[in-house]
């Protein structure tokens, strides 16, 4: 399966990051600076590059995509702030688990997987579905990682972050059918493409600090992985199918939601000086398991149609 090959390829990059940390090429301030570069520069450009191709999405699907995207993350937000309390009593761990349940690695892994399954143009659809992710990850996501759930922890400046600004511009490009010249689109795409290997290398580097024996005994990792990779995407697929959402939109959204834990979790932990151990474990285990779960999930959904 082509999507299985993509998953294996991306996982190999994670292993390379692990080895480079052991060889002292990664670690310390370098990881933090690279994480900041990815969050503030390369990932915003990756979002922009997703709407700078020669073809734009079917205009008739724009509103359904945005509607399903926002509805998805509203439901995920409810789950993220409630279900983790049933898994652990550790408040900080609840935030980490909530983040893991709510946010998948869409921008870094989701786009190539969606392209391999549904074709290159589907990246545009995934980008629109992922638009709400950008809104929520820098609001609810930051609140979960920092362990601050009160209204006072909300900062309106998050809506002016580089990631948010790129989302606004991408929305305008799609809504008005603007075709960006290759002279601009090519360098944006080249720099944006740094996001995928860069983020995976950072994840691999952070794995060097994990004691795998302890990780294998942590039931929270496996329970959260079950929700992240299986229960949540299947549950949302069923909800939207009952609501008679466009089947293509529903399938793409399900695959997008079935991604492993977002790499931003580890990078947010580094930025806000939180212990990234549990987040790294969740990211690693879901990334490994997704090599199997994503292809099987796709086959299962296809069997229902």
């Amino acid at each position: 399966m082509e999507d299985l090959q993509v998953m294996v390829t991306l996982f190999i990059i994670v292993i390379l990051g692990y080895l480079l940390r052991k060889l002292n090429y990664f670690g310390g301030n370098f990881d933090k600076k690279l994480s900041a570069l990815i969050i503030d520069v390369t990932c915003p450009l990756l979002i922009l590059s997703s709407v700078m191709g020669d073809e734009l999405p079917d205009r008739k699907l724009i509103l359904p995509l945005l509607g399903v995207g926002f509805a998805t993350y509203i439901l995920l937000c409810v789950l993220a702030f409630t279900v983790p309390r049933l898994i652990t009593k550790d408040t900080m761990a609840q935030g980490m688990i909530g983040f893991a349940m709510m946010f998948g690695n869409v921008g870094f892994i989701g786009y190539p997987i969606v392209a391999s399954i549904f074709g290159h143009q589907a990246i545009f659809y995934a980008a629109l579905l992922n638009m709400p992710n950008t809104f929520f990850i820098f609001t609810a996501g930051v609140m979960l990682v920092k362990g601050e759930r009160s209204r006072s922890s909300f900062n309106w400046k998050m809506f002016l972050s580089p990631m948010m600004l790129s989302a606004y511009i991408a929305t305008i490009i799609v809504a008005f059918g603007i075709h960006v010249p290759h002279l601009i689109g090519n360098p944006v795409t080249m720099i944006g493409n740094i996001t995928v290997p860069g983020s995976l290398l950072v994840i691999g580097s952070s794995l060097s600090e994990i004691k795998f024996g302890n990780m294998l005994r942590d039931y929270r990792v496996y329970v959260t992985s079950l929700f992240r990779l299986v229960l949540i995407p299947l549950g949302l697929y069923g909800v939207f199918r009952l609501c008679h959402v466009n089947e293509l939109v529903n399938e793409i959204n399900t695959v997008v939601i079935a991604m492993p834990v977002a790499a931003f979790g580890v990078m947010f932990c580094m930025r806000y000086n939180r212990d990234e151990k549990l987040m790294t474990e969740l990211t690693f285990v879901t990334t490994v398991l997704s090599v199997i779960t994503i292809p099987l999930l796709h086959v299962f959904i296809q069997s229902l149609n």
Side-chain angles (χ1 to χ4, degrees):
M1 256 190 203
E2 189 175 350
D3 45 331
L4 176 61
Q5 293 177 356
V6 173
M7 294 302 302
V8 173
T9 299
L10 297 177
F11 183 67
I12 290 174
I13 300 176
V14 173
I15 299 302
L16 177 60
Y18 177 88
L19 295 175
L20 290 175
R21 175 68 173 269
K22 291 297 185 181
L23 295 173
N24 295 321
Y25 284 100
F26 275 71
N29 289 331
F30 179 80
D31 282 11
K32 291 184 178 181
K33 290 183 177 180
L34 180 57
S35 297
L37 178 68
I38 292 170
I39 293 173
D40 295 335
V41 180
T42 69
C43 196
L45 292 181
L46 180 66
I47 292 175
L48 288 175
S49 70
S50 69
V51 295
M52 288 185 175
D54 293 327
E55 297 181 16
L56 293 176
D58 182 352
R59 291 180 181 273
K60 295 179 182 178
L61 292 179
I62 291 178
L63 289 180
L65 285 163
L66 291 175
V68 169
F70 275 102
T72 294
Y73 280 95
I74 289 173
L75 293 173
L76 289 176
C77 192
V78 173
L79 290 173
F81 282 98
T82 55
V83 175
R85 298 178 184 180
L86 304 176
I87 298 176
T88 180
K89 295 182 180 179
D90 185 334
T91 304
M92 186 59 66
Q94 288 174 3
M96 301 291 180
I97 292 172
F99 183 97
M101 288 185 177
M102 188 170 182
F103 301 105
N105 205 338
V106 180
F108 303 155
I109 298 179
Y111 290 151
I113 292 297
V114 167
S116 70
I117 296 176
F118 301 101
H120 180 73
Q121 189 176 14
I123 294 177
F124 294 115
Y125 300 134
L128 287 178
L129 285 169
N130 194 42
M131 198 75 71
N133 178 294
T134 306
F135 284 92
F136 282 96
I137 201 168
F138 281 91
T139 51
V142 171
M143 292 166 66
L144 287 165
V145 170
K146 294 175 69 175
E148 301 172 353
R149 302 187 182 186
S150 64
R151 185 176 297 179
S152 60
S153 66
F154 182 83
N155 186 350
W156 286 102
K157 291 183 180 179
M158 294 175 183
F159 287 100
L160 296 177
S161 67
M163 192 76 72
M164 296 302 299
L165 292 175
S166 67
Y168 302 148
I169 296 172
T171 302
I172 293 172
I173 291 174
V174 173
F176 291 94
I178 300 172
H179 290 274
V180 179
H182 290 297
L183 184 63
I184 297 175
N186 288 343
V188 167
T189 300
M190 290 178 67
I191 299 175
N193 285 342
I194 296 174
T195 303
V196 176
S199 62
L200 295 174
L201 288 172
V202 170
I203 292 173
S205 175
S206 64
L207 290 175
S208 65
E209 300 299 317
I210 291 180
K211 295 181 179 179
F212 290 97
N214 294 335
M215 178 181 67
L216 295 175
R217 293 192 293 268
D218 192 341
Y219 75 94
R220 299 174 301 179
V221 174
Y222 297 103
V223 173
T224 305
S225 298
L226 178 63
F227 273 95
R228 169 74 262 164
L229 299 174
V230 180
L231 299 182
I232 289 176
L234 283 179
L236 289 173
Y237 176 80
V239 168
F240 289 123
R241 184 167 185 171
L242 289 175
C243 294
H244 302 290
V245 169
N246 178 283
E247 187 60 34
L248 176 61
V249 171
N250 196 9
E251 286 188 23
I252 295 176
N253 187 60
T254 302
V255 172
V256 165
I257 297 304
M259 292 299 117
V261 176
F264 273 122
V266 174
M267 289 183 276
F268 279 163
C269 288
M270 293 180 180
R271 168 167 286 191
Y272 298 112
N273 297 316
R274 294 291 187 269
D275 184 0
E276 72 268 21
K277 178 176 177 294
L278 178 58
M279 188 71 79
T280 302
E281 292 175 352
L282 289 168
T283 305
F284 174 74
V285 171
T286 54
T287 300
V288 172
L289 294 179
S290 66
V291 174
I292 300 173
T293 59
I294 291 175
L296 289 178
L297 182 67
H298 178 231
V299 171
F300 176 74
I301 291 175
Q302 288 294 307
S303 68
L304 298 177
N305 301 324

